[in-house]
Amino acid sequence: MANNSTKGSNRINQKASPTTEPNCQNFITYTVKNGPGKVVGIILTFVLSHLLHHLLKPLSQPRISSDIVIGLVIGSITWIREAFDENFITTLNFVAEFGMICYMFALGMEMDPYVIFKPPTQPAMIAYAGMISSFILACTITPFLHYFRDANRDVCLTLSLSITLSGSGSHILTRIITNLKIGKSDIGKLVIGAGVHSDMISMLLISIGYVILAPATKGTDVATRITNVVTMGLALLLQTLFAAKISPIFLNWVNNENPEGKPMKGSHLVLSIAFMVMVCSASPLYGYNPILSAFMAGIFLPSEGRVSKWAVGKINYLLTTIFYPLFFFWMGYHANFKKLNPGHLVTWGRFFVLLAITLYGKVVGTVICGAMLGYHWRESVELGLLLSAKGHFHVYLAILLNVSKLTTSDMTTSMIIVIFYTVVFAPSIVMRIIQRARKLAPTHRRTLQWLDPSTELRILLCLHGQHNVPATINFMEISRGTGDPGILVHVTDMVELTEQIAATLVQSDGIDTVTVTDKDVTEVRDHITQEIQAYVDNNRDGITVRRMLALSSFNGMAQDICILAEDLMVSLIVLPFHKKQLPDGTLDGGHPGYRYVNRKMLRSAPCSVGILVDRHLGSTEKISTTARNFLVAVIFIGGKDDREALAYAGCVARHPGVKLTVIRFLLDDNSENMSRRAGQYRVNQAEQEAEMKLDDEAFAHFYERHVAGGYVSYMEKHLANSAETYSTLRSLEGQYALVIVGRGGRVNSILTVGMNDWQQCPELGPIGDVLSGSSFSLNTSVLVIQQHLAKGELEGVDDEFSIM
């Protein structure tokens, strides 16, 4: 028996050995062969999605458009699909589900569920109307086309599909509206508000409906289904009450223990994360869907506070950088583009019907509601088309139907393409809205030339330090004119953000608001405020002063000032010249950082810009309000910048203590002086005549208003070339305390040709460069003005336009 046992054992070993070795070899071979396909597929998705998004930026396409295209393309490549095995697919499914949990949690945190209990606003009415019409249309048509495989669950799935189609991708919609800069317009606010409301209502209906419909789809007896519904419903109710009532107590305690400006304690951070995870995972323990649970927890958790904002910010960052490429890689695999059956009429019928329901379902409701609210039909149609945009959650549901074997692969692919269409045409609709706004709205440019005389002049007046205060005070004084309607001046300190100052910043009133506690900065700002406030207290008529701070590196300071000017809706930004006057009257070498800011401001400012070269402007004694003893000159050659300088001179001319002189340089047309002109200078006759017409109109208006009444002196200089222009400018030396000139913008001006070749500061223009040169008067300040360069998406239109 021992021998028999030994022989049997040997036979087993002999059979086992050859089998084990091939399995090991097969595993290694499979890993080496198919591993690169997975890695290459993921890397291609990351790289190509970023590249395509960059290429589509001129078309203002959102990121989801490029992600869907790349996902479908990568998922259809055969050798990449062959690298997938069951374990890898299971892992991708888990990643997609976990990512959607984070996505829905962040989405819920950004919504306010309590608006449901308030009287419906116009965005809410538009949202409800679009949802109802889409729901009715989907419930009526989709059952006849058999979108789902399981006939027993057709009613539940049809209701779920109808509710999903009635919603909107608010995250995508908001991004499109804000990127195209119509978020402040009436239609932009309406679209964002209605989109968020529609998305929230549809998600709440799906979340609550899951409690009722999910147990009904399982093949169990009625008693078990009722028990599951009650258990799941109670679990969701307790989770919601806990998130709404108990969570604020804990999160407020964490926020109080970690005030703004101080690093959060690690233990509190861990506790907060664990607390949020616990709230989100409470109801799934009783069979509820974890993704919907995360949304229900997020929507009822307090969205204010440092912890909540930190969590949303980190989740959105991780979703954008890591999850979305993986998500659409997962989508591309399941929505296999090759399985689409274009030869079958049923496929096209289902596709176009689904597209029509998605688009026109919203349009029908918004048009009806818009007619009741008094909207134009065209804007109502555009509202409906924009609200039909879908987002990431809708893509996930379409793929989930395929993973659950509830629909065919070609139907899933059709759903993804429909979602793509709802997003891809949204930017073109917004662009049409902008184009129509340009036609309907009057041209509005933030310039002095087109400023309504009955409105106050808004100025953003920048300072480098306390040495700019005297010039700032005198500039405000002459700018206020007679005091009616007056001026609003935002005195802004330009402070470079250094490491030392950054270490003293304290965040307050939200993430984006900081307080500077650096002693040197606060002392200088306090002194500046005291001096300016003392002036305002003694000269209350017509001047309103507000203090601002532009704290940034020199690379970002120009952008910060532009944003500030845009928010404050100013018409003129005045920047100090980068060179400072020394005690002997000369100018120093200047600060390169401030010069960089000035140059960048001239290129990108949202309004007109002035550069003030201070030469004893601040040392002038208090400007009288009775005697005209402050001498100012404005030089007018021609061009848009000179017209802007003339418009500002009109404000200065109304001041009772200013004696203004307008000096107009005219081209000498005398045939005897033709020989003195630049021989090879070519003139564009058409542009020259058009520009001269605008110059004559602007000057005639100024002459009639100021010169004819005797308030302003006027003289003409007939010149033949730039050399005579230079000599005439030199003859003005020492005659005026301030000279106002335009930076450039002249079309084919013979009087300045060649002066750009030897100027030291191009940002001042040819005339301003001569007047501020070291060889010119040491007591004459210069204000160089550039008119607003109208450019960008909303050229000629106020971003708060109204077309509804």
Side-chain angles (χ1 to χ4, degrees):
M1 292 184 60
N3 291 335
N4 292 336
S5 300
T6 303
K7 291 179 181 179
S9 177
N10 290 336
R11 283 196 299 269
I12 293 173
N13 291 335
Q14 288 174 359
K15 290 182 180 180
S17 295
T19 307
T20 304
E21 291 177 1
N23 284 340
C24 182
Q25 291 177 357
N26 291 338
F27 175 77
I28 296 174
T29 303
Y30 178 83
T31 304
V32 173
K33 179 180 178 182
N34 299 318
K38 304 170 186 175
V39 176
V40 171
I42 294 174
I43 293 176
L44 278 177
T45 306
F46 270 87
V47 174
L48 294 180
S49 62
H50 283 81
L51 179 61
L52 184 59
H53 176 62
H54 181 73
L55 294 176
L56 293 178
K57 268 189 175 181
L59 301 177
S60 303
Q61 287 295 327
R63 180 64 181 270
I64 190 175
S65 300
S66 56
D67 287 341
I68 290 177
V69 172
I70 296 301
L72 289 176
V73 171
I74 298 296
S76 300
I77 299 176
T78 304
W79 63 273
I80 291 180
R81 296 186 61 86
E82 291 176 351
F84 283 53
D85 58 4
E86 186 176 350
N87 292 331
F88 185 65
I89 296 172
T90 303
T91 303
L92 276 182
N93 292 341
F94 171 77
V95 171
E97 183 177 6
F98 178 77
M100 286 309 301
I101 290 174
C102 298
Y103 172 84
M104 296 301 292
F105 178 76
L107 183 69
M109 289 283 285
E110 296 173 350
M111 294 179 176
D112 180 15
Y114 300 104
V115 298
I116 301 175
F117 306 104
K118 299 178 182 179
T121 58
Q122 289 190 7
M125 295 178 185
I126 291 290
Y128 290 138
M131 291 183 67
I132 292 173
S133 60
S134 298
F135 181 82
I136 294 175
L137 200 61
C139 287
T140 305
I141 299 176
T142 54
F144 298 100
L145 295 175
H146 305 292
Y147 283 93
F148 308 105
R149 288 176 169 177
D150 191 350
N152 296 326
R153 305 167 66 179
D154 200 47
V155 175
C156 296
L157 293 174
T158 299
L159 290 174
S160 301
L161 178 63
S162 302
I163 295 173
T164 304
L165 292 177
S166 65
S168 301
S170 60
H171 180 72
I172 302 300
L173 199 55
T174 303
R175 181 63 58 88
I176 294 173
I177 296 298
T178 53
N179 284 350
L180 291 175
K181 300 179 181 179
I182 69 165
K184 295 181 180 180
S185 65
D186 57 349
I187 192 170
K189 294 177 182 177
L190 193 59
V191 170
I192 292 176
V196 172
H197 206 87
S198 176
D199 199 7
M200 180 180 64
I201 296 298
S202 64
M203 287 306 308
L204 286 175
L205 290 176
I206 292 174
S207 301
I208 297 173
Y210 185 87
V211 176
I212 302 172
L213 298 179
T217 59
K218 297 178 182 179
T220 55
D221 57 277
V222 177
T224 304
R225 286 187 225 169
I226 295 175
T227 303
N228 292 336
V229 168
V230 173
T231 304
M232 196 184 302
L234 289 176
L236 181 62
L237 178 62
L238 291 176
Q239 173 187 299
T240 302
L241 292 176
F242 186 85
K245 302 299 181 181
I246 307 300
S247 297
I249 300 174
F250 173 77
L251 295 179
N252 288 337
W253 172 76
V254 175
N255 291 328
N256 293 333
E257 292 293 319
N258 297 271
E260 299 285 354
K262 294 184 179 180
M264 288 191 65
K265 299 176 183 178
S267 58
H268 290 169
L269 201 57
V270 172
L271 281 175
S272 301
I273 296 174
F275 180 81
M276 292 179 181
V277 172
M278 181 194 70
V279 176
C280 293
S281 59
S283 57
L285 295 176
Y286 296 92
Y288 192 67
N289 185 275
I291 296 176
L292 300 179
S293 175
F295 174 79
M296 293 297 290
I299 199 172
F300 286 101
L301 280 171
S303 58
E304 298 298 327
R306 189 178 181 187
V307 176
S308 299
K309 292 179 179 179
W310 175 87
V312 172
K314 293 298 182 183
I315 290 174
N316 285 330
Y317 176 77
L318 292 175
L319 291 174
T320 305
T321 55
I322 298 176
F323 171 66
Y324 287 155
L326 288 174
F327 174 75
F328 286 99
F329 180 65
W330 169 78
M331 176 212 73
Y333 172 78
H334 288 288
N336 188 0
F337 201 72
K338 292 182 178 180
K339 291 188 177 181
L340 187 66
N341 296 318
H344 292 71
L345 293 177
V346 177
T347 301
W348 290 108
R350 290 173 176 172
F351 170 75
F352 283 112
V353 168
L354 189 64
L355 183 63
I357 293 173
T358 305
L359 296 180
Y360 298 111
K362 290 283 188 181
V363 171
V364 172
T366 54
V367 168
I368 296 174
C369 184
M372 297 172 62
L373 295 174
Y375 297 158
H376 299 293
W377 68 269
R378 183 180 297 176
E379 283 73 31
S380 298
V381 171
E382 290 168 342
L383 274 174
L385 292 175
L386 288 174
L387 290 175
S388 66
K390 301 296 184 283
H392 297 83
F393 180 70
H394 302 89
V395 174
Y396 177 79
L397 289 182
I399 301 300
L400 188 63
L401 290 174
N402 184 38
V403 174
S404 304
K405 305 298 182 181
L406 296 175
T407 60
T408 58
S409 296
D410 62 334
M411 192 61 245
T412 298
T413 307
S414 298
M415 289 180 179
I416 298 299
I417 297 175
V418 168
I419 294 173
F420 173 76
Y421 274 125
T422 63
V423 175
V424 75
F425 69 79
S428 62
I429 296 176
V430 177
M431 292 305 299
R432 292 191 63 178
I433 292 173
I434 294 174
Q435 291 173 2
R436 193 163 65 258
R438 289 197 183 107
K439 297 178 181 179
L440 297 178
T443 300
H444 177 77
R445 295 173 62 185
R446 291 177 184 168
T447 62
L448 302 175
Q449 184 181 359
W450 305 112
L451 181 68
D452 186 355
S454 63
T455 60
E456 64 178 0
L457 173 61
R458 297 189 175 192
I459 302 176
L460 183 65
L461 190 52
C462 298
L463 294 84
H464 294 165
Q466 197 169 355
H467 62 278
N468 296 133
V469 174
T472 297
I473 291 175
N474 282 336
F475 182 84
M476 289 191 298
E477 175 62 34
I478 64 174
S479 300
R480 69 168 177 159
T482 59
D484 184 21
I487 60 173
L488 172 60
V489 184
H490 299 275
V491 180
T492 306
D493 298 300
M494 300 170 65
V495 180
E496 181 187 9
L497 181 61
T498 61
E499 293 182 359
Q500 179 181 355
I501 297 177
T504 65
L505 298 180
V506 176
Q507 292 184 340
S508 59
D509 299 330
I511 295 178
D512 297 329
T513 304
V514 296
T515 302
V516 182
T517 59
D518 183 81
K519 184 178 180 181
D520 295 336
V521 175
T522 53
E523 287 182 355
V524 171
R525 296 201 72 216
D526 290 342
H527 289 153
I528 293 174
T529 303
Q530 291 173 6
E531 293 184 48
I532 293 177
Q533 191 60 46
Y535 159 74
V536 175
D537 291 340
N538 295 326
N539 304 270
R540 293 182 180 274
D541 295 337
I543 299 180
T544 304
V545 175
R546 295 174 182 170
R547 296 283 281 124
M548 299 290 170
L549 174 64
L551 177 65
S552 177
S553 63
F554 286 124
N555 287 330
M557 187 174 292
Q559 182 180 4
D560 290 347
I561 295 176
C562 288
I563 294 174
L564 188 62
E566 194 168 359
D567 293 340
L568 299 175
M569 294 185 293
V570 299
S571 299
L572 177 64
I573 300 174
V574 180
L575 303 166
F577 191 44
H578 70 281
K579 295 182 179 181
K580 185 169 59 174
Q581 192 171 28
L582 301 174
D584 62 355
T586 61
L587 298 176
D588 62 9
H591 195 296
Y594 288 123
R595 185 180 190 185
Y596 172 78
V597 173
N598 289 356
R599 287 181 166 184
K600 197 170 182 180
M601 287 295 301
L602 291 171
R603 293 194 301 268
S604 56
C607 60
S608 297
V609 180
I611 297 180
L612 179 62
V613 183
D614 178 19
R615 279 177 160 170
H616 290 294
L617 176 63
S619 62
T620 304
E621 295 181 0
K622 183 179 179 181
I623 300 174
S624 172
T625 56
T626 56
R628 294 180 176 271
N629 56 7
F630 190 78
L631 305 182
V632 180
V634 55
I635 297 175
F636 187 86
I637 300 177
K640 60 184 183 64
D641 292 347
D642 281 10
R643 294 194 292 269
E644 191 74 356
L646 193 67
Y648 174 73
C651 301
V652 175
R654 295 196 294 266
H655 192 283
V658 173
K659 183 177 181 181
L660 178 68
T661 301
V662 178
I663 307 174
R664 187 173 189 182
F665 290 8
L666 295 172
L667 182 64
D668 192 348
D669 292 332
N670 193 338
S671 59
E672 298 178 359
N673 298 323
M674 292 292 290
S675 60
R676 292 186 285 145
R677 295 188 186 174
Q680 298 181 352
Y681 184 74
R682 297 182 179 180
V683 176
N684 188 322
Q685 198 65 32
E687 291 185 9
Q688 185 84 339
E689 292 178 357
E691 197 71 15
M692 287 179 62
K693 182 179 180 181
L694 296 175
D695 293 339
D696 291 339
E697 291 176 355
F699 198 87
H701 177 72
F702 180 88
Y703 190 96
E704 181 182 357
R705 188 176 183 187
H706 301 288
V707 180
Y711 299 106
V712 175
S713 301
Y714 172 63
M715 66 173 66
E716 292 181 354
K717 300 288 184 181
H718 293 268
L719 311 172
N721 51 42
S722 58
E724 295 185 7
T725 300
Y726 179 77
S727 60
T728 304
L729 293 174
R730 293 301 305 270
S731 67
L732 303 177
E733 183 175 355
Q735 297 184 30
Y736 302 98
L738 176 66
V739 178
I740 306 170
V741 297
R743 177 173 180 256
R746 306 175 184 93
V747 178
N748 297 331
S749 178
I750 299 175
L751 301 182
T752 57
V753 62
M755 295 179 69
N756 294 331
D757 299 337
W758 38 268
Q759 60 184 349
Q760 297 179 352
C761 297
E763 62 268 28
L764 298 180
I767 306 299
D769 185 72
V770 172
L771 297 177
S772 62
S774 57
S775 59
F776 200 73
S777 172
L778 304 180
N779 297 312
T780 300
S781 300
V782 183
L783 176 64
V784 181
I785 295 181
Q786 174 186 276
Q787 192 177 72
H788 175 219
L789 301 173
K791 57 185 179 180
E793 297 293 343
L794 297 178
E795 179 180 347
V797 182
D798 188 356
D799 58 357
E800 297 183 3
F801 65 87
S802 177
I803 64 172
M804 297 300 294

